[in-house]
Amino acid sequence: MITLLAGFTGSGESLLNRSPWAENLPERVDRLIRTGRMAEAIIVMPDAFTRYGGSQYLNSSATGRYEDHLVREVVPWIDRRYRTIPEPRARAIAGKSSGGYGALVQAMRHPDVWGLVACHSGDMYFPYCYLPDFPKCLDVLAGHGGSVERFLRAWRRMPGRSESSLFPAINTIAMASCYSPNPRTRVGFDLPFDLRTGELRPAVWRRWLAWDPVQMVERYRRNLRRLRFVYLDCGTRDEYHLHYGARMVAARLRRLGVRCIFEEFPDGHANIQYRYDRSFELLSRAFARR
Amino acid sequence: MITLLAGFTGSGESLLNRSPWAENLPERVDRLIRTGRMAEAIIVMPDAFTRYGGSQYLNSSATGRYEDHLVREVVPWIDRRYRTIPEPRARAIAGKSSGGYGALVQAMRHPDVWGLVACHSGDMYFPYCYLPDFPKCLDVLAGHGGSVERFLRAWRRMPGRSESSLFPAINTIAMASCYSPNPRTRVGFDLPFDLRTGELRPAVWRRWLAWDPVQMVERYRRNLRRLRFVYLDCGTRDEYHLHYGARMVAARLRRLGVRCIFEEFPDGHANIQYRYDRSFELLSRAFARR
Amino acid sequence: MITLLAGFTGSGESLLNRSPWAENLPERVDRLIRTGRMAEAIIVMPDAFTRYGGSQYLNSSATGRYEDHLVREVVPWIDRRYRTIPEPRARAIAGKSSGGYGALVQAMRHPDVWGLVACHSGDMYFPYCYLPDFPKCLDVLAGHGGSVERFLRAWRRMPGRSESSLFPAINTIAMASCYSPNPRTRVGFDLPFDLRTGELRPAVWRRWLAWDPVQMVERYRRNLRRLRFVYLDCGTRDEYHLHYGARMVAARLRRLGVRCIFEEFPDGHANIQYRYDRSFELLSRAFARR
Amino acid sequence: MITLLAGFTGSGESLLNRSPWAENLPERVDRLIRTGRMAEAIIVMPDAFTRYGGSQYLNSSATGRYEDHLVREVVPWIDRRYRTIPEPRARAIAGKSSGGYGALVQAMRHPDVWGLVACHSGDMYFPYCYLPDFPKCLDVLAGHGGSVERFLRAWRRMPGRSESSLFPAINTIAMASCYSPNPRTRVGFDLPFDLRTGELRPAVWRRWLAWDPVQMVERYRRNLRRLRFVYLDCGTRDEYHLHYGARMVAARLRRLGVRCIFEEFPDGHANIQYRYDRSFELLSRAFARR
């Protein structure tokens, strides 16, 4: 069983989308099986989409308990319905981008559920992948009176909500709903900066950093050592600069004695579904190992 | 029956894709029917994707006879299988972008098949929507020794074929396969410019312009006058500058005595699926009219 | 004597500007002379700036008689004031971008004045270098009620008039003031397209094309053959795609029996002042030849 | 006497450059004086350009003692040569961008020299204005084997050194030469991140932050209170997001009891020379006050 986590703004179902000249996920897996590169497997594609575009597969008072959903609902339900081997050694979790982040974090926190993990271009080193968006988010919010609520109301009325200039705002808000939820606020989460001056709020920013894999790895080293298989990769031209985070995580894993395959590839963040060819083949071999 | 033509790089199936915070086509139609904005209808979503990304719904010796496919295969097959009213007055053809182009051209050429047409942001006025890409296409080809074949070979090997810097080349090649096929060449089509100096080849460029709706409208005025309903729109910030073509076509239609609803809306070329709310409602009313 | 024509928005004086890590023109010439790559020369840097940014060194009822100014005022004045050899064989005209255009056109039209010419990345093949800006210009004008006058009024009030999004409008307007002046209009020139539908106005566009070096070369072949030295170059990544025009002009010059040195270099349109090292050295040698 | 500090990559002399449709600095001052908006003044335009593009007007073992140059060389020399009032109350320091940074920092550190300061769009809040460039700088350096020296060698050989994709690297290197010089390294300065993993080096980053006006203001509050006139402004669309830093500095100044005029204006970072009209007028009035 391989649980495949979609990236930000995606969901399990979106992995079935057609795009020109490209396989969708079922076609890819069919080809890999047909050509003998991987054995047959149960592929689970959960839905953890939220009103802001994604949950990072964490529990949040702002959007829902997606970590629990995965571990307490999806996995047992699959085990009941399908012919699985209900043990960590037969359960892999994988994903790309926010899905890669989710996979790595799930594996760190639930080695009793997942025994194998493949993280492609996952969110890591938040000072490089998120912080540069903060002033851009502030600029977008300023266009709505500096109010998150007013911005969100306007955004929900937009016919195409995917305008690229708004992305830094949506992404920052979504991440705040995951990393710094706060039920005592009206929107349900704290932003990591002051809405007027833009200054970082150290206490909130520290809450975010506590969810940065670069910091988590040390804390979860014992769990990580229990994993059967850890795979990490990133493109060396990643537009969110995730290759730096990936190198930091890989270096720490090595230092902490966690076996890990770390690969870099000469590409960016988008259109890298072909990396599943690599991870699924390695996962398949790792499943087979005794 | 509404036949809905997908845009360039799309296919019928891709209209079922999920994107975040947006309805896909069946959901949209369901909502329109549920809320009484349109009557029930048979929606046909044909596939006219080609190796270069799209056929413009024309016959081409380079890629296939897609116009014939629509008119001689799809429509009769649907009429046999489904409870249709097999008459032009009950058949609409609609689409967006290259699908809008296709819809308008089909309606011009086959008023015996289609009685209603809705063209959203369709390709028109080729000097503005295609010609600016020619030197960019030449630059891309120059990186492959100025050879279309070598470029296409390299492109087919790329994992993500959708890199934006290549788009002007792919689009120009695809349009050449539709507008200036030539079975006596090795690639199967003529490009409208000299591959070394870049100079326009007037004879080939004229073949393209003969397929420009701005020029076709005059030629097909008799057919156009037979149509029951003609709808045309375009965003006033269309990135391909199709609003200028749309204005020219609308002005000519009026001059030629063709009844036509022409609307402009304050948006660009992408994320404008919401325009179907408008055209489907109008088509539905036009079907109902006696 | 080398007359050096500044590019669009530049003037003779701006060739003295300082930029970081780069020589300005006098420093460049000093170095070339000091290192023996060129002989001493009188460098003339005329001013042909207009209210719209440049004259293309042509006579225009809209902005002034800049061609006459060069040939009838500047050259005789320099000949009176400085120790020149007042003959074509000792007079070169050179420039970059619009200055390159100006140099080539002056040499074609006044072989009795200029005997040598160096044209770097000059404006040529207007269908590629100007036409793609027309719809962008229309979009900018649409933001001002589709009125050139209202746009120009607003533009003149802007503190920084050099916003890049306005450039296609300013450039198109400036070129219209050079290529299609019309004293019977209020603004003083015709635009090559209809301001409402955007459609090309063939009669005006033909006036422009009559000033395209690609078309002029044939007409001025006799004059061109009289020139002592013709140098043409362009970067193969020119952002205005002038390399295609340069190839067409070079091919025609050869076909017409005009001796010409044509060079391509792997660079874009900006920051190519270093090309003067090449042309000044060649001009200097050509002056010396008997 | 107003000492005007040029921005990054500029020098005193570059303030005399011509650009189209715009006054250069002497023309601007002449107009302000002629129209009675400011009194006559001695305008000093020092040169603090370095091999990396700018000194931030600080002392650095890597590039030179520019702070000393200003305070110990330029000011006394001007006082000897020109009819100045050699007292802080008659000396203003002003600038834009890095020149604004320099002005504010000079005033904080030398209230015995400068009595008035005007800072336009100055560098402040380094986490927003510099940190986002670090991963981009790393990417550029990676193209040169991750070596600053190899990159700089290649860069020095480039004909146009001002390619925009290189700017994050040049800017980061230049700032490191100002904020974290280190004579024991081969290049002469420390970068604030690890060249392999990209991880921030906290000790070096802290050295930078010690030069961030947002942090300096508290430390230099006594000096700041001695100033006769403090002016601060920034555009609300500043591309380097300096408006957030400006707000933080203004808020702290107020809290610390430093009188300060703080203005925001609806513009970006470029083409804002017109802001000197405002500051020069205010400085002129402040000079006149008893």
Side-chain angles (χ1 to χ4, degrees):
Chain A
M1 163 186 163
I2 301 174
T3 296
L4 194 64
L5 306 181
F8 185 62
T9 75
S11 63
E13 242 185 311
S14 70
L15 298 165
L16 310 179
N17 280 359
R18 306 242 133 247
S19 35
W21 307 299
E23 302 165 312
N24 66 7
L25 193 85
E27 290 170 330
R28 178 175 302 278
V29 171
D30 280 349
R31 175 180 49 78
L32 291 173
I33 294 170
R34 200 175 59 239
T35 58
R37 290 187 55 189
M38 70 180 280
E40 292 197 354
I42 294 163
I43 311 282
V44 180
M45 297 177 290
D47 181 357
F49 187 72
T50 73
R51 74 182 72 182
Y52 306 119
S55 66
Q56 301 294 92
Y57 305 92
L58 300 177
N59 291 335
S60 160
S61 59
T63 54
R65 304 186 63 81
Y66 290 92
E67 181 170 18
D68 290 354
H69 172 61
L70 267 189
V71 169
R72 299 194 192 166
E73 295 177 337
V74 173
V75 171
W77 189 89
I78 297 287
D79 279 342
R80 277 196 307 275
R81 292 279 175 124
Y82 294 92
R83 207 168 32 90
T84 60
I85 304 168
E87 293 168 32
R89 70 169 172 90
R91 285 200 208 98
I93 187 155
K96 193 162 60 70
S97 195
S98 283
Y101 171 85
L104 188 59
V105 168
Q106 292 310 308
M108 279 197 241
R109 288 166 61 87
H110 302 287
D112 46 325
V113 177
W114 316 104
L116 306 89
V117 59
C119 165
H120 298 286
S121 306
D123 299 19
M124 35 194 84
Y125 207 52
F126 296 180
Y128 285 175
C129 71
Y130 296 142
L131 190 148
D133 272 353
F134 294 173
K136 297 178 190 170
C137 173
L138 280 155
D139 279 355
V140 171
L141 295 177
H144 299 269
S147 157
V148 176
E149 283 166 295
R150 280 168 60 181
F151 163 70
L152 286 171
R153 264 200 303 276
W155 173 68
R156 281 193 196 105
R157 278 195 302 268
M158 294 178 194
R161 293 195 199 166
S162 28
E163 212 188 298
S164 66
S165 68
L166 302 179
F167 184 77
I170 294 303
N171 195 48
T172 301
I173 285 169
M175 295 307 124
S177 78
C178 303
Y179 302 138
S180 51
N182 182 349
R184 282 164 316 185
T185 61
R186 274 173 63 182
V187 285
F189 52 83
D190 288 325
L191 284 174
F193 39 76
D194 184 274
L195 273 167
R196 210 181 48 76
T197 63
E199 192 163 0
L200 287 170
R201 297 168 68 187
V204 183
W205 182 224
R206 268 196 302 273
R207 289 182 69 194
W208 283 48
L209 293 176
W211 286 106
D212 186 337
V214 172
Q215 294 203 2
M216 294 177 82
V217 155
E218 173 99 36
R219 220 175 328 133
Y220 289 96
R221 62 188 179 279
R222 277 189 200 84
N223 286 354
L224 281 159
R225 286 191 198 117
R226 288 171 55 193
L227 297 172
R228 208 180 153 81
F229 178 79
V230 178
Y231 177 85
L232 194 72
D233 74 8
C234 197
T236 53
R237 298 193 300 267
D238 191 284
E239 289 83 357
Y240 301 97
H241 303 108
L242 299 171
H243 38 312
Y244 298 110
R247 284 176 200 166
M248 295 174 212
V249 165
R252 278 163 169 74
L253 287 174
R254 254 163 228 153
R255 186 152 30 83
L256 297 165
V258 178
R259 268 163 316 167
C260 159
I261 297 177
F262 172 49
E263 297 183 342
E264 304 195 6
F265 54 90
D267 208 336
H269 194 75
N271 296 318
I272 52 170
Q273 291 81 341
Y274 62 91
R275 295 300 302 172
Y276 287 129
D277 283 22
R278 176 81 179 136
S279 60
F280 280 26
E281 183 167 5
L282 291 172
L283 285 173
S284 194
R285 276 194 236 156
F287 280 134
R289 231 174 287 137
R290 291 275 114 188
Chain B
M1 164 186 160
I2 302 174
T3 296
L4 193 66
L5 305 182
F8 184 61
T9 75
S11 63
E13 243 185 310
S14 69
L15 297 165
L16 310 179
N17 281 357
R18 307 243 132 245
S19 36
W21 308 298
E23 302 166 312
N24 66 8
L25 193 85
E27 290 170 331
R28 177 174 304 277
V29 171
D30 281 348
R31 174 178 51 78
L32 291 173
I33 294 171
R34 200 175 58 238
T35 58
R37 292 187 54 190
M38 69 180 280
E40 292 200 352
I42 294 163
I43 311 283
V44 180
M45 298 176 289
D47 181 359
F49 187 71
T50 73
R51 72 182 75 181
Y52 307 118
S55 66
Q56 301 295 89
Y57 304 92
L58 300 177
N59 291 335
S60 160
S61 59
T63 56
R65 304 186 63 80
Y66 290 92
E67 181 169 18
D68 289 355
H69 172 61
L70 267 189
V71 169
R72 300 195 191 166
E73 295 177 337
V74 172
V75 171
W77 189 88
I78 296 288
D79 279 342
R80 278 197 308 275
R81 293 280 175 122
Y82 294 92
R83 210 168 28 92
T84 61
I85 305 168
E87 293 169 31
R89 68 168 173 91
R91 284 201 209 98
I93 187 156
K96 193 162 58 71
S97 195
S98 282
Y101 170 86
L104 188 59
V105 169
Q106 291 311 307
M108 280 198 239
R109 289 165 61 87
H110 302 288
D112 45 324
V113 177
W114 317 103
L116 307 89
V117 58
C119 165
H120 298 286
S121 305
D123 301 19
M124 33 193 86
Y125 207 52
F126 296 179
Y128 286 175
C129 72
Y130 297 143
L131 190 148
D133 273 351
F134 293 173
K136 296 178 192 173
C137 173
L138 280 156
D139 279 355
V140 171
L141 295 177
H144 299 270
S147 158
V148 176
E149 284 166 294
R150 279 168 62 181
F151 163 69
L152 286 171
R153 265 200 303 277
W155 174 69
R156 282 191 196 106
R157 278 194 303 268
M158 292 178 195
R161 292 194 200 169
S162 27
E163 213 188 299
S164 66
S165 67
L166 302 179
F167 184 77
I170 293 302
N171 194 49
T172 303
I173 285 169
M175 295 306 124
S177 79
C178 304
Y179 301 138
S180 50
N182 183 349
R184 280 166 317 185
T185 61
R186 274 171 65 181
V187 286
F189 53 84
D190 287 325
L191 285 173
F193 40 76
D194 183 275
L195 273 167
R196 210 180 48 76
T197 63
E199 193 162 0
L200 287 170
R201 298 168 66 187
V204 182
W205 183 224
R206 268 195 303 272
R207 290 183 67 194
W208 283 49
L209 293 175
W211 287 106
D212 186 340
V214 172
Q215 294 205 0
M216 294 177 81
V217 154
E218 174 98 37
R219 220 175 327 133
Y220 289 96
R221 62 189 178 280
R222 279 190 200 82
N223 288 352
L224 280 159
R225 287 188 199 119
R226 290 171 54 193
L227 297 173
R228 209 180 152 77
F229 179 79
V230 178
Y231 177 84
L232 196 70
D233 74 10
C234 197
T236 53
R237 299 192 300 266
D238 191 285
E239 289 83 356
Y240 301 97
H241 302 107
L242 300 170
H243 39 312
Y244 298 109
R247 285 175 200 168
M248 296 174 210
V249 166
R252 278 163 170 74
L253 288 173
R254 255 160 229 158
R255 185 150 32 83
L256 296 166
V258 178
R259 268 163 318 168
C260 158
I261 298 177
F262 172 49
E263 297 183 342
E264 305 196 7
F265 53 89
D267 208 338
H269 193 75
N271 297 316
I272 51 170
Q273 290 80 344
Y274 63 91
R275 296 300 302 172
Y276 286 128
D277 284 22
R278 178 78 179 136
S279 59
F280 280 27
E281 183 168 5
L282 291 173
L283 285 173
S284 194
R285 277 194 236 156
F287 280 135
R289 231 173 289 139
R290 290 277 113 188
Chain C
M1 164 186 162
I2 302 174
T3 296
L4 194 65
L5 306 181
F8 184 62
T9 76
S11 63
E13 242 185 312
S14 69
L15 297 166
L16 310 179
N17 280 358
R18 305 243 133 246
S19 35
W21 307 298
E23 302 165 313
N24 65 7
L25 193 86
E27 290 170 331
R28 178 175 302 278
V29 171
D30 281 348
R31 175 179 49 78
L32 290 173
I33 294 171
R34 201 175 56 238
T35 58
R37 291 186 54 189
M38 71 180 279
E40 292 197 352
I42 294 163
I43 311 284
V44 180
M45 297 176 291
D47 181 358
F49 187 71
T50 73
R51 74 181 72 181
Y52 306 119
S55 66
Q56 300 296 89
Y57 305 91
L58 301 176
N59 291 335
S60 160
S61 59
T63 54
R65 304 186 63 79
Y66 290 92
E67 181 170 18
D68 290 354
H69 173 60
L70 267 189
V71 168
R72 299 195 191 165
E73 294 177 338
V74 173
V75 170
W77 189 88
I78 296 287
D79 279 344
R80 277 198 307 276
R81 291 280 175 124
Y82 294 92
R83 208 166 32 89
T84 61
I85 304 167
E87 293 169 32
R89 69 168 173 91
R91 284 201 209 97
I93 188 156
K96 192 162 59 72
S97 194
S98 282
Y101 172 85
L104 188 60
V105 169
Q106 292 310 308
M108 280 197 241
R109 288 166 60 86
H110 303 288
D112 46 325
V113 176
W114 316 104
L116 307 89
V117 59
C119 166
H120 298 286
S121 305
D123 299 20
M124 37 195 82
Y125 207 52
F126 296 180
Y128 286 175
C129 72
Y130 296 142
L131 191 148
D133 272 352
F134 294 173
K136 296 178 190 172
C137 173
L138 280 155
D139 280 354
V140 171
L141 295 177
H144 300 269
S147 157
V148 176
E149 284 166 294
R150 279 168 62 180
F151 164 69
L152 286 171
R153 263 199 304 277
W155 173 69
R156 282 192 196 106
R157 278 194 303 268
M158 293 178 195
R161 293 195 199 167
S162 26
E163 212 188 299
S164 65
S165 67
L166 303 178
F167 185 77
I170 294 303
N171 195 49
T172 302
I173 284 169
M175 295 307 124
S177 79
C178 303
Y179 301 139
S180 50
N182 183 348
R184 282 165 313 185
T185 61
R186 273 173 63 182
V187 286
F189 52 84
D190 287 326
L191 284 174
F193 39 76
D194 184 273
L195 273 167
R196 211 182 45 77
T197 63
E199 193 163 0
L200 286 171
R201 298 168 66 186
V204 183
W205 182 225
R206 268 196 302 273
R207 290 184 67 196
W208 282 49
L209 292 176
W211 287 105
D212 186 339
V214 172
Q215 294 204 1
M216 294 177 81
V217 155
E218 174 99 35
R219 220 177 327 133
Y220 289 97
R221 63 187 177 281
R222 278 190 201 83
N223 286 354
L224 280 160
R225 288 191 198 118
R226 287 171 55 192
L227 296 174
R228 207 180 154 79
F229 178 80
V230 178
Y231 178 85
L232 195 72
D233 75 8
C234 197
T236 52
R237 298 193 300 267
D238 192 285
E239 288 84 356
Y240 301 97
H241 302 108
L242 300 170
H243 40 311
Y244 298 110
R247 284 175 201 167
M248 295 174 211
V249 166
R252 277 162 170 75
L253 287 174
R254 254 161 230 154
R255 186 151 30 84
L256 297 165
V258 178
R259 268 163 318 167
C260 159
I261 297 177
F262 172 49
E263 297 182 341
E264 305 196 5
F265 53 90
D267 209 337
H269 194 73
N271 297 317
I272 52 169
Q273 291 81 343
Y274 63 90
R275 295 301 302 173
Y276 287 129
D277 283 22
R278 176 79 179 138
S279 60
F280 280 27
E281 183 167 6
L282 291 173
L283 285 172
S284 195
R285 276 194 236 156
F287 280 135
R289 231 174 288 137
R290 290 276 112 189
Chain D
M1 164 187 162
I2 301 174
T3 296
L4 193 66
L5 306 181
F8 186 61
T9 76
S11 63
E13 243 185 311
S14 69
L15 297 165
L16 310 179
N17 280 358
R18 307 243 132 247
S19 36
W21 307 298
E23 303 165 313
N24 65 7
L25 193 85
E27 290 170 331
R28 178 174 303 277
V29 171
D30 281 348
R31 175 179 50 78
L32 291 173
I33 294 171
R34 200 175 57 239
T35 58
R37 292 189 51 192
M38 69 180 279
E40 291 199 353
I42 294 163
I43 310 284
V44 180
M45 297 176 290
D47 181 358
F49 187 70
T50 72
R51 73 183 73 181
Y52 306 119
S55 66
Q56 301 295 90
Y57 305 92
L58 300 177
N59 291 335
S60 159
S61 59
T63 55
R65 305 185 63 81
Y66 290 92
E67 181 169 18
D68 290 354
H69 173 61
L70 267 190
V71 169
R72 299 194 191 167
E73 295 177 338
V74 172
V75 171
W77 189 89
I78 296 287
D79 278 342
R80 278 196 307 275
R81 293 280 176 122
Y82 294 92
R83 211 168 27 92
T84 60
I85 304 168
E87 293 168 32
R89 67 167 174 91
R91 285 199 209 98
I93 187 156
K96 193 161 59 71
S97 195
S98 283
Y101 170 85
L104 188 59
V105 168
Q106 291 311 308
M108 281 198 239
R109 288 167 61 88
H110 302 288
D112 46 325
V113 177
W114 316 104
L116 307 88
V117 59
C119 165
H120 298 287
S121 305
D123 299 20
M124 34 193 86
Y125 207 52
F126 296 180
Y128 286 175
C129 72
Y130 296 143
L131 191 149
D133 273 351
F134 293 172
K136 297 178 191 171
C137 173
L138 280 155
D139 280 355
V140 171
L141 295 178
H144 299 270
S147 157
V148 176
E149 284 166 294
R150 279 167 64 181
F151 163 70
L152 285 171
R153 264 199 304 277
W155 174 68
R156 283 192 195 106
R157 278 194 302 267
M158 292 178 195
R161 292 194 199 168
S162 27
E163 211 188 299
S164 66
S165 67
L166 302 180
F167 184 78
I170 293 303
N171 195 49
T172 302
I173 285 169
M175 294 307 124
S177 79
C178 303
Y179 301 138
S180 50
N182 182 348
R184 281 166 316 186
T185 61
R186 274 172 65 179
V187 286
F189 53 83
D190 288 325
L191 285 173
F193 40 76
D194 183 274
L195 273 167
R196 209 181 48 76
T197 63
E199 191 162 0
L200 287 170
R201 297 167 66 187
V204 182
W205 183 224
R206 268 196 302 271
R207 290 183 66 193
W208 283 49
L209 293 175
W211 286 105
D212 186 338
V214 173
Q215 294 205 358
M216 294 176 81
V217 155
E218 173 97 37
R219 219 174 330 132
Y220 288 97
R221 62 188 179 279
R222 279 190 199 83
N223 288 353
L224 281 160
R225 287 189 199 119
R226 289 171 55 191
L227 296 173
R228 207 179 152 80
F229 178 79
V230 179
Y231 177 84
L232 195 70
D233 75 8
C234 196
T236 54
R237 298 193 299 267
D238 191 284
E239 289 83 357
Y240 301 97
H241 302 107
L242 299 170
H243 39 312
Y244 298 109
R247 284 174 200 169
M248 295 175 211
V249 165
R252 278 162 170 75
L253 287 174
R254 255 161 229 157
R255 185 151 31 83
L256 297 166
V258 178
R259 269 164 317 169
C260 158
I261 297 176
F262 173 50
E263 297 183 342
E264 304 196 7
F265 53 91
D267 208 337
H269 193 75
N271 297 317
I272 52 170
Q273 289 81 343
Y274 63 91
R275 296 301 303 172
Y276 287 128
D277 283 22
R278 177 79 179 136
S279 59
F280 281 27
E281 183 167 7
L282 290 173
L283 285 173
S284 194
R285 277 195 236 155
F287 279 135
R289 231 173 290 139
R290 290 277 113 190

